[in-house]
Amino acid sequence: MSPFIWKSRSLLASLSLVGLLMGPLGYGATTDPMESTEPVLALESTAQTESAETGPDYALARVDWLEPVVLTTDTPSFALVTGRAVKMRAFVTAPQAGAPAPQVHVRVLDSQQVLSDSVMEPPTPAIVGTQPELGSLSAAYLFQLRAEWVKPGLQVELTVESGPDGTDPDLTNNHLVLRPTVDPAHVLYLTVVPVRTQMEGLASLPEEANGPEATRQALKSLLMATFPLSDVKIRIHAPYDAHVTTQYNNWGYLLGEIDNLSFSEGSHGYYLGFIKPSGGSTVGNSFMPGTVAIVASGDPWLKGTVRHELGHNFFRSHAYCGPLDASGQNWGYNAEKNQMIDPTLTNDDMSYCGPSWVSRANYLGILKQLKVYGLDKPKDISDWK
């Protein structure tokens, strides 16, 4: 026998022996497609078992503060305001849409104690998507931070529980601790003045048919929903008889009269006069910056005009018509209506176009202004409610 043949047979015998030894351990399984497929089925069965034991990988994808403009903690110049209640919105996502909504636990703390230990209101229906829906409230988790909790030292901890069956495979993306900046309290003291002119008569106040408390509540609700305020206190002034006989072409004079009224009374705060219109295109006037504004009365009353003129008082100048944000990323929120504001369909309050809402730039600008300069406060606040 030639050396070559002997060596070949020795090699074949060695390979056969290795196959016999390794085969029972699974290392010598054939890859011939004509052979049994039982090992492949066994692997598939194992994968299905693992999938059944592992739930969706939930993630806490985004948390928003629903101020008049939707903000996140890392928004430049972001701050909450002491004593101002704010709604939180959180989005939980999963790799596949329609996963059951897990519970989101929320703890609210200050520097000394736990203020609240609760859960967020879940989405409706109780499922989560694959990414945040910026224009939605129903697809998100919601939680209201009470006014007395919002103060320096605030901390909010959010934790996504590990799914209905406790099977979330990765808990590292389920927890978030927020420590927002909290500015000082800003209380607006507003004197509301119904103005009477000889030609037009006495202006009406918002919701006055339902009594003075309804007027206060209507104005407070609007202004709290628009500006970074802790509270709005309102004094309803007795009717003021204007020196000019008509409002027509006299809005500058009327503004000056209400300014003189504020000065003569010596207590200050902010003054908002209501003028009964009877022609002309002017519906408001104000000082920028300042503490006095006037607007046309009406039923319904002109909420956008009130926001516009007080915006001037807070040093906001006019804006061009056009969407607040054509990209659709920076939504607004109307707390009066519990409604999201689509920035692609809404103009700036400081423009002359509608529908309108406060812009992101203007809200943050007012927030900064109030932090630096504060608000004018009357010497005696006993008459403001």
Side-chain angles (χ1 to χ4, degrees), residues 62-75 78-80 86-89 143 145 150 154-156 178-181 333:
R62 178 183 172 117
V63 179
D64 297 319
W65 307 94
L66 297 185
E67 294 286 20
V69 292
V70 178
L71 303 171
T72 58
T73 305
D74 58 358
T75 300
F78 163 80
L80 301 179
V86 61
K87 184 172 287 188
M88 298 183 68
R89 179 179 72 168
F143 184 77
L145 281 182
V150 183
L154 173 68
Q155 177 174 304
V156 182
L178 301 170
R179 298 181 181 89
T181 300
Y333 172 68

Side-chain angles (χ1 to χ4, degrees), residues 317-329:
S317 57
H318 284 137
Y320 292 107
C321 295
L324 290 172
D325 177 19
S327 73
Q329 295 300 303

Side-chain angles (χ1 to χ4, degrees), residues 29-102:
T30 179
T31 57
D32 189 331
M34 298 300 294
E35 294 289 340
S36 170
T37 60
E38 287 183 0
V40 176
L41 291 175
L43 289 173
E44 289 179 351
S45 176
T46 301
Q48 291 171 357
T49 301
E50 291 175 355
S51 176
E53 295 175 352
T54 302
D57 180 14
Y58 293 110
L60 188 54
R62 178 183 172 117
V63 179
D64 297 319
W65 307 94
L66 297 185
E67 294 286 20
V69 292
V70 178
L71 303 171
T72 58
T73 305
D74 58 358
T75 300
S77 302
F78 163 80
L80 301 179
V81 176
T82 295
R84 177 180 171 83
V86 61
K87 184 172 287 188
M88 298 183 68
R89 179 179 72 168
F91 287 101
V92 174
T93 58
Q96 293 186 337

